[in-house]
Amino acid sequence: MPGTKKKGAQTVVFDNPLVLTAWASIVGPLEGGGPWGQDFDWIMEDYLFGEQTWEKGESKMLRETVKHALNKRNLEPADAELFVAGDLLNQLVSTNFAARELSIPFLGLYGACSTMAESLIVSSMLMDGGFFDRTVAAACSHHYTAERQFRFPTEQGVQKPPSSQWTATAAGAVLLESVGVGPRITAATIGRVVDMGQKDIADMGSAMAPAAVDTIKTHFKDMNLPTDYYDLVVTGDLGKIGMAIAQQLFIKDGVSPRPNYSDCGVLLFDDNQGALSGGSGCGCSACILCGPLLKKMLAGDIKKLLFIATGALMSPLSSFQGESIPGIAHAVVIEN
Amino acid sequence: MLTTPDPANQLKKIEIEDYETLVQQVKPKPPLLKNSFWAFVVGGVICMLAQAIQNYLLSKGAGKTDAASWTSVIMIFLGALLTGIGVYNELGKIAGAGSIVPITGFSNAIVASAMEFKREGYIFGVGARIFSVAGPTLVFGFVIAVLIGAIKVFISS
């Protein structure tokens, strides 16, 4: 028997749309100094956040973001039934250690930078399936923990090409409830892994753009919607180059989203902040969603949002072994 | 082995080639002229400084070998110092190979790794990871040294 809540090839539609009753975002100093600084809940003074190591700082950032989101509804971590989250580090250490402190039943996810959409989708499906009434979906990334895992030691003097992106130090958390007031998640499209043979580890945008376009195209087809249905279609962290490529692919495939298409990686930083092609990391799309985007939805500036977080599913190991970089993108529909 | 090419595979291959063309059109090229200029200036200044130190040592009556060794030691120290106070990575962003190729760059690679992995302790952190970036330079440096040594033995025998 086919699932009754599934529509088309890859899309799920929720019978009882899940309500985003509260959300929070914490970002690093560079992100806080960007164009959306005033829309985040908290800007860290430094990258350690009062901890001894960057990893501990990242973990604390996620933990505090979750607590802050719950606080906005006067709730304690114990009131949440499920915590679904992830980060970029091996064995999900930042998230696992945050979950240890929070002590909410926990499912850890790895979707590279697509984690925010993935955590929203998993929580939404579990809630619409009737298993839970109150869950927290979250994601985080930290510039220096990611640099040391994926690239070079931070004090190493290396020149980056213009295609490289700046992993954001940021966390975003959303409190989802089956009943409440706020924007709602009505549908989601689960992406396929798309690999167009890109191998340049200093250019994630080109690796992820085809996955983003594939998911967006599938979403419009599955939902049978015109491409001007959403007020804003926003991808996760394609950066300037990935976004430019995605726009070319939209034209080629005849699915150019209108009236507005943008990318969280392009939005997060100003040109003069040295982020080159733009922001990246799970925290990039998470903080833009849980900062300016949901704020604008609450104010009614955006009524229908298609949020597509994008991930490059590589590791330094796979790259050294000559593998190309597979991309993934998941789409979430958030409506007022 | 299949002799006839699988049509689906062929199609995928064409798609990948098309995509590569698109990426190359969109992706900005690194500013080669600007990068070369700064590599030349920064690399040149580092070498000039080393030469000045060597000349000074020679003028103070040091032997040629001693002066060369001391110059290396001083340059390595300067590279380490600038890495420690967070200057060398900023220099590297502008200079690229200009600050990597001189001996100060080698010093930077080792000190940066040592600083990075200090939090994992002195054995499994600093000790195990200190050559994580500089390791290849050492390994292949040794290999070349052995080869050149061997050639010299053959030529002189």
Side-chain angles (χ1 to χ4, degrees):
Chain A
M1 194 186 87
T4 50
K5 297 178 185 185
K6 197 178 149 210
K7 196 169 177 185
Q10 292 166 231
T11 303
V12 289
V13 178
F14 303 116
D15 290 340
N16 306 300
L18 302 313
V19 191
L20 283 69
T21 52
W23 51 84
S25 55
I26 297 181
V27 299
L30 190 74
E31 292 71 15
W36 307 99
Q38 73 283 3
D39 291 319
F40 303 120
D41 289 295
W42 186 268
I43 298 165
M44 288 153 52
E45 281 175 17
D46 62 36
Y47 290 93
L48 285 169
F49 208 6
E51 294 290 326
Q52 291 298 313
T53 70
W54 286 319
E55 285 78 6
K56 286 182 184 173
E58 180 177 358
S59 193
K60 182 179 172 188
M61 178 172 69
L62 180 65
R63 189 178 78 217
E64 293 305 317
T65 309
V66 171
K67 280 189 189 167
H68 197 62
L70 287 162
N71 246 333
K72 287 183 180 177
R73 291 265 296 127
N74 293 321
L75 296 170
E76 294 289 319
D79 298 320
E81 294 173 301
L82 182 72
F83 175 44
V84 186
D87 60 80
L88 288 175
L89 301 189
N90 292 340
Q91 289 81 38
L92 292 184
V93 281
S94 303
T95 312
N96 287 343
F97 286 87
R100 176 181 69 184
E101 313 293 325
L102 293 168
S103 153
I104 309 171
F106 165 61
L107 291 174
L109 302 176
Y110 186 84
C113 313
S114 71
T115 306
M116 191 65 222
E118 190 178 359
S119 63
L120 285 173
I121 294 174
V122 171
S123 316
S124 301
M125 291 200 297
L126 289 171
M127 288 173 72
D128 194 44
F131 295 101
F132 301 98
D133 286 318
R134 186 182 285 147
T135 69
V136 178
C140 71
S141 61
H142 189 293
H143 180 74
Y144 292 106
T145 64
E147 277 296 301
R148 65 185 300 200
Q149 179 178 305
F150 287 96
R151 295 177 192 98
F152 290 104
T154 41
E155 293 300 331
Q156 174 95 21
V158 281
Q159 196 168 40
K160 291 184 170 182
S163 60
S164 66
Q165 290 172 259
W166 183 276
T167 308
T169 304
V174 171
L175 174 65
L176 287 167
E177 292 187 85
S178 48
V179 183
V181 183
R184 296 161 310 138
I185 296 181
T186 52
T189 301
I190 300 170
R192 300 184 298 153
V193 175
V194 177
D195 190 333
M196 292 301 279
Q198 289 294 303
K199 286 189 175 176
D200 184 355
I201 54 161
D203 180 12
M204 293 295 143
S206 302
M208 297 187 290
V213 175
D214 185 77
T215 300
I216 293 168
K217 201 168 73 175
T218 309
H219 176 77
F220 282 122
K221 195 175 160 218
D222 285 351
M223 297 290 285
N224 199 17
L225 286 173
T227 53
D228 61 357
Y229 179 79
Y230 296 102
D231 297 325
L232 174 66
V233 172
V234 65
T235 45
D237 58 349
L238 298 182
K240 288 177 201 159
I241 294 166
M243 184 174 159
I245 291 172
Q247 282 169 317
Q248 294 288 322
L249 295 175
F250 286 145
I251 294 168
K252 203 175 131 205
D253 293 340
V255 286
S256 298
R258 279 170 297 141
N260 297 305
Y261 163 66
S262 194
D263 181 78
C264 300
V266 175
L267 293 170
L268 186 60
F269 296 108
D270 278 325
D271 281 346
N272 59 7
Q273 289 188 291
L276 298 164
S277 187
S280 69
C282 317
C284 177
S285 54
C287 77
I288 290 286
L289 177 73
C290 300
L293 290 182
L294 286 174
K295 209 173 188 178
K296 282 185 189 304
M297 291 206 74
L298 206 61
D301 296 336
I302 303 172
K303 293 189 178 66
K304 288 177 273 188
L305 172 74
L306 184 65
F307 171 75
I308 307 110
T310 46
L313 302 172
M314 47 75 78
S315 82
L317 195 92
S318 69
S319 289
F320 290 144
Q321 292 183 355
E323 277 279 7
S324 51
I325 305 165
I328 192 156
H330 302 297
V332 179
V333 180
I334 306 175
E335 292 182 273
N336 261 348
Chain B
M1 285 290 284
L2 278 172
T3 44
T4 46
D6 180 5
N9 262 343
Q10 283 291 96
L11 199 68
K12 179 81 187 162
K13 214 181 137 199
I14 293 166
E15 229 181 305
I16 283 175
E17 279 166 9
D18 278 357
Y19 185 65
E20 183 60 32
T21 317
L22 173 67
V23 169
Q24 291 310 326
Q25 277 167 6
V26 174
K27 204 195 278 195
K29 301 282 170 285
L32 209 62
L33 203 68
K34 188 183 144 206
N35 287 352
S36 305
F37 173 78
W38 281 112
F40 177 77
V41 169
V42 173
V45 166
I46 291 171
C47 294
M48 267 168 60
L49 181 68
Q51 190 62 51
I53 291 169
Q54 194 175 0
N55 289 354
Y56 176 76
L57 291 170
L58 286 170
S59 75
K60 289 286 161 189
K64 222 177 168 187
T65 327
D66 276 354
S69 304
W70 275 107
T71 306
S72 299
V73 169
I74 291 166
M75 292 312 286
I76 288 170
F77 167 75
L78 287 178
L81 182 71
L82 291 179
T83 305
I85 58 174
V87 171
Y88 210 88
N89 65 325
E90 297 297 327
L91 204 62
K93 279 182 198 165
I94 307 162
S99 61
I100 292 173
V101 175
I103 201 164
T104 46
F106 185 67
S107 165
N108 167 245
I110 292 172
V111 176
S113 299
M115 287 168 72
E116 188 78 33
F117 295 106
K118 189 172 160 261
R119 284 160 184 158
E120 281 75 54
Y122 284 100
I123 308 283
F124 292 106
V126 177
R129 307 294 289 274
I130 192 164
F131 294 122
S132 66
V133 178
T137 320
L138 291 174
V139 170
F140 297 110
F142 295 155
V143 171
I144 295 294
V146 169
L147 285 177
I148 290 174
I151 291 168
K152 193 180 177 236
V153 169
F154 278 114
I155 290 172
S156 54
S157 62

